[in-house]
Every structure is written in structure tokens, then in C-alpha cells.
Amino acid sequence: MFISKNSRSELIQSIEQLKREKNAIILAHYYQDNGIQDCADYIGDSLGLSQAAAKTDADIIVFAGVHFMAETAKIISPNKKVLLPDLDAGCSLADDCKTEDFIAFKKQHPEHIVISYINCTAEVKAESDIICTSSNAVHIVNSIPKERKIIFAPDKNLGRYVINKSGRDMVLWDGACMVHEAFSLSKIEALIEQNPNAEFIAHPECTEAVLKHASFIGSTTALLNYTKTSEKQQFIIGTESGILHQMIKNSPDKRFIPAPPMNNCACNDCPHMKKNTLQKLHDCLFNEAPEIMLEESIRLKAEKSIKRMLELSVNL
Ligand code: 13P
Ligand code: SF4
């Protein structure tokens, strides 16, 4: 059933009431729109969100993010109901790494250990030895004995960044984030020149050419923390523009300039993340649908590779 609430405050009030009645928790990624972030019980990067999903005692998790994130929550917490406001909220990385192709890729490198970025389907996680996120990728790769060969999938830009940081030689799957790959190098160079007092900071999903200009590189949480603690007053932000909401909230006197994409827009939105709206969030909590469902054999295999990551990330 679709309940149309006409004002934003009515929607928020109703979401708060439904959360209490149903013992539900809202986990939101930084790329969600401002209204959704303001309703969330926890806002974080992919690692923080999986850790929060693993330890919550709520009966229902509403995942305000994209499909692979909600699926990860279900893999870790199979006895909870996991809801996603819009089931079509995908991810270019997960969409471009199909299970059959991934299995064929693995067959070409039979002696390699398989590390997959969390931005992939449950089936690909089930085919992986260990999962990583942007905040622990270097740490996870460094935990693998030096003599072992590694496949890293599906983000070649994150993979290249990890190769440069760790000195490990890895075989990379040829995938990329459609948002971070769309940043315009020439426009970023021009912005840096026009704003000599601003620091350019970026997410490791950006291309190597863009990352060469960054004075700090990190996950969304790391970028946010950097802007909170840095003495700099101005930043050019090389990641999806949703993160600016928390940056401005935490440092209202600092100036944040979103890095521009190659098209004519001023900032770079993820079309998948932005599929979720406050109305859809409300309706999914009210209807307890759409719900994430998983085949148990896949879930069990995927859980192993995620658990290995969580065990290695306790102190991160
Ligand atoms: P993090 O949440 O690890 O910063 O990754 C960003 C991202 O693109 C998630 O889809
Ligand atoms: Fe996927 Fe990129 Fe969107 Fe993140 S920002 S969900 S990596 S397409």
C-alpha cells in the first residue's frame, strides 16, 4: 500500500513513529539525499554500515543505500528483515560484474586468492575469498602473504590505488564506478588553480590521473573526518556530492566545492543512490517491502568472505 504524505515534516514524523512501533533502524550511506540522512539512526561508509548491520538488535533494517549494501546486511543478519526503499538502486560496479563472467575470469587465474570490493553481488561475494571496502582495501591486501597471487575485483581504479599503496602486483577486473570515473580532470585542474587555498581530496574510486592531484585520499568516512580535523578552510571534494551534507553540518564555517563531472552539471550525483526518496523510505517501512531475499547456499558462502573482512577490520 502506498501512503502519500504531503509534507516533509509529516513524513519524518510518521517515519519516526513507524521505527518505534516496529523496532526498526535506518542505516544510510553518505550519498543519500539530505532528508534521508537526517532520518537515519546511523550514517556511514560501506564498512561502517556493515559493522552497524552486524551489531544491531533491531528487528528490521531499512537500508538507505544501494542493492549490494542491503544485500550485505541480509548476508550478515539473516534473521532480520532487510528493506531497501527502491530495489532498482543498483551500482555500475556490481552490474558490470556478472557471476558467469567472474567465474570464467577466476578460471584464468586458478592459483590466485580472490579479493572483491564490497560493491558486488552476493553471488560474486560467494565466489570470493575475502571482501574489502575502500577504507580497508590496503589493509586487507597487506594481510595476504607476499607469495600469494591476488585477483582484485571489480573496481580497477581502487585496485590501481591499492597496487600503488601496497606494492603488490594484482590482476584487476575491468570495472569502474560511473560516478567517480566521470570527474573531469581538466575541470578539476582548473578549479585547483582558481582556488589556491583549497585542498583537493578524493575517493580512491577516482581514476589514477585525478588521484594524482589529491592531497588526501580516503573512503567517505575518512574524507569527512579529514575535513573536520584539517586546519584548511576550503576543500574541493572528489566524491559523490551527498557527502557535502555532513561536511557542511560538521564544519559550517568551512567552504566545500564539489568536483565537477565531464557533463555540464556542477556536481556529481549517483543516479542509483538518488533513486531512494523520503517518500519511498516511508512507504517501505510502512509496507515492510521491498524486502531483500537470498538463496541460503549463496548467503552462507558470501557470509564467509564478509566475515573474514570484518574479523580483519575490528580495529579500523
Ligand atoms: P565507501 O562507502 O567505502 O566510501 O564507498 C563509496 C561508494 O561508492 C559506495 O558505493
Ligand atoms: Fe556504485 Fe559508484 Fe553509485 Fe557507489 S557511487 S553506488 S560505486 S555507482
Side-chain angles (χ1 to χ4, degrees):
M1 191 170 66
F2 173 80
I3 301 293
S4 184
K5 297 269 167 196
N6 32 28
S7 82
R8 198 181 119 97
S9 60
E10 251 188 303
L11 266 180
I12 294 172
Q13 227 181 350
S14 183
I15 288 170
E16 289 304 329
Q17 192 181 334
L18 287 165
K19 275 201 300 192
R20 280 193 301 275
E21 284 169 12
K22 295 175 184 250
N23 187 27
I25 187 174
I26 299 178
L27 304 182
H29 191 269
Y30 294 117
Y31 297 164
Q32 292 294 285
D33 83 24
N34 299 357
I36 294 180
Q37 290 191 35
D38 292 342
C39 281
D41 299 285
Y42 177 85
I43 314 168
D45 66 3
S46 305
L47 178 64
L49 288 164
S50 0
Q51 287 167 329
K55 68 171 185 240
T56 182
D57 52 12
D59 296 316
I60 297 180
I61 297 174
V62 184
F63 215 111
V66 291
H67 194 272
F68 77 81
M69 295 179 170
E71 208 173 47
T72 302
K74 185 69 184 174
I75 293 166
I76 308 168
S77 298
N79 299 324
K80 297 189 191 306
K81 195 173 254 189
V82 178
L83 309 172
L84 180 65
D86 190 324
L87 269 192
D88 290 333
C91 168
S92 64
L93 281 164
D95 296 346
D96 294 343
C97 187
K98 303 267 179 275
T99 319
E100 328 71 87
D101 301 338
F102 189 65
I103 292 172
F105 180 67
K106 272 178 46 174
K107 278 202 182 123
Q108 291 167 14
H109 309 282
E111 73 287 11
H112 289 53
I113 190 157
V114 181
I115 303 182
S116 291
Y117 189 31
I118 197 163
N119 299 37
C120 63
T121 61
E123 287 77 5
V124 167
K125 286 185 176 77
E127 290 294 328
S128 306
D129 296 303
I130 184 160
I131 300 303
C132 72
T133 75
S134 65
S135 59
N136 61 18
V138 175
H139 176 74
I140 300 283
V141 167
N142 280 335
S143 75
I144 306 298
K146 289 263 183 300
E147 65 280 6
R148 292 297 310 268
K149 292 179 181 170
I150 302 172
I151 283 179
F152 189 92
D155 188 347
K156 65 177 175 195
N157 291 318
L158 176 64
R160 175 63 46 203
Y161 168 75
V162 175
I163 288 174
N164 292 339
K165 289 293 273 186
S166 66
R168 297 295 290 265
D169 184 24
M170 305 193 293
V171 177
L172 303 180
W173 176 271
D174 186 14
C177 159
M178 62 188 284
V179 178
H180 290 85
E181 222 182 32
F183 284 124
S184 160
L185 178 60
S186 57
K187 288 186 195 171
I188 288 173
E189 286 170 342
L191 260 184
I192 293 172
E193 213 176 297
Q194 286 154 19
N195 298 277
N197 294 326
E199 239 186 323
F200 175 55
I201 61 173
H203 195 280
E205 286 174 12
C206 292
T207 61
E208 193 176 15
V210 164
L211 291 179
K212 280 209 171 104
H213 291 280
S215 51
F216 179 77
I217 298 166
S219 77
T220 43
T221 296
L223 293 174
L224 174 63
N225 289 340
Y226 185 80
T227 61
K228 284 192 216 169
T229 52
S230 166
E231 282 173 7
K232 284 272 178 185
Q233 295 299 307
Q234 297 182 40
F235 303 89
I236 299 165
I237 307 298
T239 192
E240 210 265 5
S241 49
I243 187 79
L244 268 74
H245 185 49
Q246 295 305 322
M247 288 178 172
I248 295 166
K249 262 183 145 176
N250 281 281
S251 310
D253 299 329
K254 295 185 180 178
R255 180 168 169 243
F256 301 98
I257 310 164
M262 285 172 236
N263 61 28
N264 289 329
C265 298
C267 62
N268 217 359
D269 276 350
C270 172
H272 297 290
M273 286 280 181
K274 286 345 192 225
K275 278 209 162 90
N276 295 328
T277 61
L278 208 52
Q279 181 75 56
K280 287 184 197 170
L281 177 76
H282 171 273
D283 295 348
C284 97
L285 187 49
F286 183 86
N287 296 319
E288 299 188 20
E291 183 181 356
I292 301 289
M293 299 298 225
L294 275 172
E295 207 182 288
E296 186 60 5
S297 60
I298 301 284
R299 190 197 72 74
L300 282 170
K301 282 172 82 184
E303 187 181 31
K304 259 195 199 164
S305 58
I306 296 174
K307 280 200 165 154
R308 283 187 76 185
M309 169 187 83
L310 291 174
E311 281 157 19
L312 282 167
S313 306
V314 276
N315 296 320
L316 297 182

